[in-house]
Amino acid sequence: MPTHVPVFVATTLLLAMLPGASSALMIRQVLEGGQRTLRGTLAGNASGFLLWSTAAAAGLSAVLLASPTAYALLRIAGGVVLMVLGAKTLWTALTTTVSTRPSYEGGRGTGFAGGYLTGLMTNLGNPKAGVFAVSVLPQFVTSKGPVFLSTVALGALWALVSASWYMLLTWAVSRGRALVSQPTALRGITVTTGVVLLGLGAAVAAGV
């Protein structure tokens, strides 16, 4: 096994473990979306990594970075997507009566397709993932073999590592659901998640 692969795995795992929009979204989905919605969100988020890495391999991300206007538009659009998700989460928390009944027993989940689109939009709405794809991925691509396929393969590994971490995170949250299933605690977590998504969206849009 090439030595760059373990280092790449460690790097992507550390990145996935950092608190961010995807982590906040996964926690939100496991608490109120239901298992089908959560699985869709995981798949959509992983698909986003694959699309970013494929775009990087094809040079699209490099073109975006070379064009300040295109990158600014992408960044602002990504920030808006995250802020809309945050606002929707806050609205749900403040206007809906929180039930202690598990969502996966028939809650307000949007299903696999809805979760997939949410996960995909959240991932693609973060241009920093594109910056990572174009600036970090090439450092792990060796000169041996086809560069395009190697980059896409690393993107698939990136998606797998991230999905594995989010599965572990959501499993832990689900196992500890009894500790946060009280209406007040659940509402507080939902509000916090919404605020985090709004803040992250504003930061992305502002280029912070």
Side-chain angles (χ1 to χ4, degrees), residues 6 15 17 22 24 47 57 61 74 80 117 119 126 129 135 153 158 166 168 183 206:
L15 287 173
M17 292 174 67
S22 293
S47 296
S61 292
L74 177 63
V80 170
L117 290 176
N126 183 5
S135 63
W158 180 17
Y166 292 133
L168 178 61

Side-chain angles (χ1 to χ4, degrees), residues 14 17 21 24 37 39 42-43 56 90-91 119 121 131 134 140 145 163 167 181 194:
L14 290 174
M17 292 174 67
T37 303
R39 287 193 291 270
L42 287 167
L90 280 176
W91 177 260
M121 286 191 302
V131 174
V134 73
F140 294 93
M167 288 176 64
S181 61

